[in-house]
Amino acid sequence: MNANTATPAKTKLRVATTSLAGCFGCHMSFLDIDERILQLVELVEFDRSPITDIKHCGPCDLGIIEGGVCNAENVHVLHEFRKNCKILVAMGACAVNGGLPAQRNHLDLRDILEEVYQTEPGLTHGGIPNDPELPLPLNKVHPIHEVVKIDYFLPGCPPPADAIWKFLTDLLAGRTPHLGHGLLHYD
Amino acid sequence: MPDAPEKTIAAVLARHKGDGTRLMQILREVQEELGWLAPETITEIARGIGWPRARVEGTAAFYSFFHTRPRGKYCVLWSDNITDRMLGNRDLMLALCKKLWLEPARLSEDGLVSVNTTSCTGMCDQGPAVLVNYRAITRMTPERVDQMAELIRNQVPLDEWPADWFRVEDNIRRKDALLDHGLVPGEALAAAMEKGSKAFLDEVKASGLRGRGGAGFTTGMKWEICRDAPGSAHYVVCNADEGEPGTFKDRVLLTSYADLVFEGMTLAGYAVGAQKGLLYLRGEYRYMKDALEAVLARRRGEKLLGSRILDKDFTFDIEIHFGAGAYICGEESALIESLEGKPGRPRIRPPFPVTRGYLDQPTTVNNVETLAASCLVARHGGAWYAKLGTAKSAGTKLMSVSGDVERPGIYEYPYGVTVAQILADAGARDTQAVQVSGPSGVCVAAEEFGRRICFEDIPTAGAFMVFDESRDMFEVARNFAHFFAHESCGFCTPCRVGTQVVARLMDKLAENHGSPYDIDEMFKMHRLMQGASHCGLGNSACNPLFDTLNKFRPAYERRLKSLEYEPAFDLDAALSQARQMTRRDDAGAHLSNED
């Protein structure tokens, strides 16, 4: 073997993704990279993700989170990702800022639960669900960086497929991700 | 009974000849009569000046001192600079609120009173200070709070409140060339007009006089560029917005040296060929209006203002404009926008005001102290003035000293004085740090007290806030972070968002939720805002943070909860309401940061 060969054996990066308090729109936008997904799977293999249906995340290089944190389960999932992923990315407006689910933040959670399950005419009044199987909602919805350290932010609602592609290819190539003109916009 | 609102508005509009560029003054005068600016009032004013309503509302909404919602009959605003905090303003404010059965920032149910905070009102040497209906009250005490609550409850008119409360002291502690000028009104002007405007301008250039607002641009050069710039009219603007927390020298100059300031403006007018001067006075100093108008009237009578000044072919007059509580208007192009009746948002430069300023005409904007100092140049000549101070910083500087010193007040020194000298003269003991030139300036730690006040070392607009060893430098920086978050004009995203992000990170640390990652994030914000902001406010907003992080890092570090990342809030407490509503208390109904 030639000792001068500096090219390491190609190992694929492990990537996990999940959606917390989001609408899966970011994941759909992710799939909009279309046939480029074939290039992507040359470079990465997926761990926990809606794509694989793996239930728990193992050690990964990259974790991508869609959605904010609205309940106890979101917190557990986020902790699991942070513990296992070397790099954690907030993808989309809800993960970055709380987004649409955070619209409830100007209301008191108790009032919401009461109105939805007990008082509002036209809804079935079955009482506030209290099965221990169900995760409890948090008083407020939070962006994910308020709960764990986030390394990169990918804004957009959803971020366009080209932005996600640029972001991932930068990361995979070891460059600090940089969304140039045209990929970073808010409409 | 006051006149019908329409009559009041019509009278104010007539006084200003329906001129939209005078909108700031129109809004202020209407509000003084009617209490607040109701939607129909704004419509009426817009019609009167022929502007779209949205533009008028844009201006009214921009400034803190304009009220587009009903305001209490008594509006109490506590100056919230760090020096006021150190004198206990928070406790006094809460005590007043308690006495009045009121929450801070809320109008009382009967519409009688509101109590809130405002940015530094320039009374740092005699705080804690308040503004009641925009009139300055100094030296608040628990006794005064009790009395004030009583006066408000009994609806005693402000004019009948104890006169002593409204007394504002000069507190001049050290005089030098400027404060001991020995000039009689008109003496400097006569000397300059004897020489002729070109020769006088040459003297100013030879004097090495530089701007006293902090940036230190050479005054002679500024005047020359302005003089040479083509335009249908030239203007002189005196920047008396003095909003930098900790600065109050302009207040003293305009109180006891108004003749010198007005004469300096007249000299500037003579040098640049202007016929009109505008004094832009911060709204907090509204109480000076009558005294200043009286000085102007006297000077007109003495032929020092008006047409044919000193019986020569020179016409110049001065008008006073008031700001309305916006720090950003201290920036010269924002100030000019404000003079033209618009929100105070800095312009894109170039063109600089010297070529295209007020009403798009050549305008020289100078600091109060610079203009006053130009009288010395006129009287004694440039060479004489250049000998004062250091090689690159000619003359003297007024320092506004406040904080932990025995004798707060105004100290005048030739440039080149050391920080240690000022501290010794002011009677400071066990000093930990000095914030020179306000929040946007430099935080100087004890090992640097040999540094000098001059453009070669520490340039300053004159604020000098002293902190002894009992003070927490983190809280100092946090106060400044909130100041900038409040005063950002909102025009550019890096500053509008960045100042808020920084303020929240500082609060996160203050609430003991911090980690080293938060400190990294603040450094990142500092770099971003310094590079990407539209004007100096955003560029310098993180200065105090950067300085204190470098020089007082343990003040931050001992607040860190952990070296691991920490959430911004208590995770388990965030489930409290759901637990209460579902009556659950099982393991799944709780959270911790380690699972």
Side-chain angles (χ1 to χ4, degrees):
Chain A
M1 243 181 104
N2 187 344
N4 286 333
T5 308
T7 322
K10 274 217 168 173
T11 52
K12 287 187 176 181
L13 295 178
R14 278 193 84 76
V15 177
T17 77
T18 191
S19 176
L20 306 176
C23 68
F24 275 96
C26 295
H27 275 82
M28 297 305 290
S29 188
F30 183 20
L31 292 181
D32 281 342
I33 64 173
D34 298 334
E35 75 283 0
R36 285 173 288 187
I37 201 161
L38 298 174
Q39 291 177 55
L40 189 64
V41 293
E42 292 296 313
L43 300 169
V44 307
E45 57 190 349
F46 284 97
D47 194 292
R48 174 176 176 166
S49 168
I51 298 171
T52 60
D53 210 25
I54 297 172
K55 301 297 183 206
H56 286 284
C57 158
C60 283
D61 297 288
L62 178 62
I64 299 173
I65 313 275
E66 168 191 341
V69 182
C70 79
N71 63 28
E73 193 217 0
N74 293 158
V75 174
H76 293 306
V77 175
L78 197 51
H79 281 157
E80 181 183 305
F81 268 69
R82 181 69 276 182
K83 207 169 279 176
N84 286 293
C85 302
K86 289 182 200 158
I87 298 172
L88 207 53
V89 178
M91 173 167 70
C94 301
V96 174
N97 288 318
L100 203 61
Q103 292 292 305
R104 78 157 158 94
N105 282 358
H106 66 281
L107 300 171
D108 189 290
L109 175 66
R110 288 164 292 200
D111 296 341
I112 300 174
L113 291 173
E114 204 164 71
E115 189 162 330
V116 171
Y117 292 108
Q118 287 174 335
T119 59
E120 179 62 20
L123 296 176
T124 49
H125 299 152
I128 299 168
N130 62 356
D131 191 314
E133 289 266 296
L134 296 173
L136 290 182
L138 301 173
N139 298 353
K140 301 284 175 211
V141 178
H142 296 267
I144 60 176
H145 72 264
E146 289 189 3
V147 179
V148 297
K149 162 76 178 145
I150 297 300
D151 302 300
Y152 297 99
F153 296 86
L154 175 52
C157 185
D162 287 344
I164 297 173
W165 177 250
K166 172 77 164 63
F167 196 90
L168 287 178
T169 47
D170 275 353
L171 265 184
L172 296 175
R175 296 186 292 263
T176 303
H178 181 76
L179 299 181
H181 184 71
L183 292 179
L184 191 59
H185 55 89
Y186 297 96
D187 50 4
Chain B
M1 270 302 279
D3 286 337
E6 307 80 54
K7 264 190 166 170
T8 306
I9 297 167
V12 172
L13 285 169
R15 196 149 63 228
H16 294 284
K17 302 189 176 72
D19 180 358
T21 66
R22 308 182 59 87
L23 181 59
M24 289 286 291
Q25 311 312 308
I26 294 171
L27 290 173
R28 179 179 55 79
E29 288 171 24
V30 169
Q31 179 172 282
E32 276 174 13
E33 299 279 337
L34 301 181
W36 66 293
L37 301 167
E40 54 275 18
T41 305
I42 289 178
T43 308
E44 195 72 20
I45 292 173
R47 193 178 302 138
I49 61 175
W51 280 19
R53 189 183 182 286
R55 274 180 72 189
V56 176
E57 184 154 6
T59 297
F62 182 84
Y63 295 91
S64 297
F65 290 1
F66 290 145
H67 299 263
T68 49
R69 268 179 288 181
R71 182 194 87 167
K73 192 170 168 202
Y74 295 91
C75 168
V76 183
L77 293 173
W78 289 80
S79 174
D80 202 22
N81 185 21
I82 184 70
T83 53
D84 296 289
R85 292 248 180 129
M86 284 154 55
L87 293 165
N89 73 333
R90 284 270 147 172
D91 290 344
L92 293 174
M93 178 173 89
L94 293 176
L96 180 66
C97 286
K98 205 169 156 203
K99 294 236 167 253
L100 293 168
W101 292 89
L102 175 90
E103 272 178 65
R106 285 267 176 85
L107 181 62
S108 62
E109 300 225 333
D110 54 2
L112 178 66
V113 53
S114 66
V115 177
N116 208 344
T117 56
T118 186
S119 298
C120 179
T121 60
M123 303 289 168
C124 321
D125 56 336
Q126 45 205 303
V130 291
L131 295 174
V132 180
N133 294 352
Y134 301 104
R135 282 179 64 181
I137 295 180
T138 58
R139 296 175 301 268
M140 284 301 293
T141 59
E143 296 73 43
R144 285 189 175 183
V145 163
D146 290 350
Q147 276 177 281
M148 187 183 280
E150 205 60 27
L151 290 167
I152 290 173
R153 267 202 301 259
N154 296 329
Q155 305 201 24
V156 177
L158 217 52
D159 288 332
E160 293 166 29
W161 288 24
D164 188 44
W165 292 12
F166 300 98
R167 209 179 70 231
V168 178
E169 303 283 356
D170 277 354
N171 288 332
I172 295 173
R173 312 285 185 181
R174 188 183 191 281
K175 291 184 178 183
D176 213 296
L178 184 64
L179 297 182
D180 252 342
H181 58 85
L183 301 174
V184 297
E187 192 179 341
L189 191 57
M193 290 173 73
E194 188 68 33
K195 289 189 190 95
S197 66
K198 187 76 185 67
F200 167 58
L201 185 52
D202 288 338
E203 291 290 337
V204 177
K205 281 160 72 183
S207 74
L209 179 63
R210 296 172 69 169
R212 299 299 196 243
F217 195 82
T218 314
T219 307
M221 194 193 294
K222 188 185 266 189
W223 287 3
E224 186 166 57
I225 300 170
C226 181
R227 177 193 172 101
D228 293 344
S232 55
H234 288 57
Y235 294 98
V236 172
V237 173
C238 174
N239 181 348
D241 195 46
E242 194 166 60
E244 193 72 46
T247 319
F248 46 88
K249 66 179 177 69
D250 296 346
R251 184 196 80 216
V252 173
L253 283 174
L254 286 163
T255 303
S256 300
Y257 295 81
D259 263 297
L260 210 59
V261 177
F262 290 142
E263 190 143 333
M265 288 178 72
T266 315
L267 285 169
Y270 184 62
V272 307
Q275 297 199 343
K276 185 165 177 179
L278 297 152
L279 174 71
Y280 187 93
L281 192 57
R282 66 187 307 217
E284 287 83 346
Y285 295 164
R286 167 73 180 75
Y287 72 92
M288 292 183 187
K289 184 171 189 280
D290 294 345
L292 289 172
E293 296 285 8
V295 174
L296 288 176
R298 175 171 49 72
R299 290 183 69 88
R300 283 182 199 114
E302 291 167 349
K303 293 208 148 203
L304 299 173
L305 283 176
S307 53
R308 293 202 59 79
I309 289 173
L310 294 175
D311 291 320
K312 288 194 179 154
D313 187 21
F314 171 43
T315 298
F316 189 78
D317 212 330
I318 294 172
E319 197 184 304
I320 303 172
H321 273 242
F322 285 92
Y327 167 72
I328 188 65
C329 289
E331 196 279 340
E332 60 176 5
S333 66
L335 184 151
I336 289 172
E337 289 283 293
S338 182
L339 278 176
E340 294 179 357
K342 293 180 255 176
R345 295 200 187 96
R347 293 177 177 176
I348 291 167
R349 303 179 303 171
F352 290 93
V354 276
T355 54
R356 283 170 64 189
Y358 180 61
L359 305 179
D360 230 14
Q361 299 303 316
T363 304
T364 174
V365 183
N366 293 106
N367 184 267
V368 174
E369 190 183 347
T370 317
L371 291 165
S374 73
C375 294
L376 295 180
V377 178
R379 175 63 186 81
H380 302 292
W384 177 88
Y385 194 82
K387 285 202 193 92
L388 304 170
T390 69
K392 287 183 181 162
S393 316
T396 60
K397 183 79 196 89
L398 300 189
M399 302 301 291
S400 313
V401 179
S402 64
D404 295 315
V405 295
E406 254 169 47
R407 295 174 294 279
I410 295 293
Y411 291 74
E412 184 187 6
Y413 293 98
Y415 271 111
V417 65
T418 60
V419 172
Q421 181 68 48
I422 302 175
L423 287 171
D425 291 351
R429 261 186 254 120
D430 304 323
T431 305
Q432 170 178 211
V434 182
Q435 184 74 26
V436 182
S437 211
S440 64
V442 191
C443 181
V444 181
E447 60 273 19
E448 310 169 84
F449 288 169
R451 292 181 66 182
R452 297 179 309 147
I453 302 295
C454 54
F455 294 106
E456 295 95 320
D457 190 358
I458 307 178
T460 173
F464 193 92
M465 294 186 273
V466 180
F467 305 100
D468 72 17
E469 281 162 5
S470 71
R471 306 298 178 183
D472 182 344
M473 293 312 289
F474 170 82
E475 281 302 332
V476 173
R478 188 160 82 99
N479 174 272
F480 295 160
H482 281 276
F483 167 76
F484 285 116
H486 181 258
E487 294 295 348
S488 171
C489 83
F491 172 75
C492 74
T493 311
C495 175
R496 182 183 63 247
V497 178
T499 52
Q500 293 288 348
V501 168
V502 168
R504 280 184 211 170
L505 285 170
M506 292 296 273
D507 287 349
K508 183 179 175 188
L509 258 65
E511 288 155 15
N512 289 313
H513 287 304
S515 76
Y517 294 110
D518 298 309
I519 294 183
D520 290 349
E521 189 64 26
M522 289 197 273
F523 273 116
K524 223 155 73 188
M525 279 293 143
H526 172 63
R527 274 197 304 277
L528 187 145
M529 287 165 66
Q530 211 173 28
S533 298
H534 175 60
C535 79
L537 192 153
N539 292 149
S540 56
C542 289
N543 285 359
L545 192 86
F546 188 72
D547 277 356
T548 49
L549 264 171
N550 281 325
K551 297 173 187 177
F552 298 96
R553 202 176 170 98
Y556 287 73
E557 285 168 338
R558 67 187 147 76
R559 288 195 151 70
L560 303 184
K561 187 172 182 191
S562 146
L563 294 181
E564 301 297 319
Y565 190 79
E566 279 295 321
F569 58 98
D570 183 332
L571 288 173
D572 191 53
L575 289 177
S576 61
Q577 294 175 358
R579 272 199 297 268
Q580 182 194 336
M581 297 305 281
T582 58
R583 297 164 198 276
R584 277 178 54 188
D585 198 23
D586 54 284
H590 288 278
L591 277 174
S592 78
N593 199 28
E594 308 108 31
D595 40 80

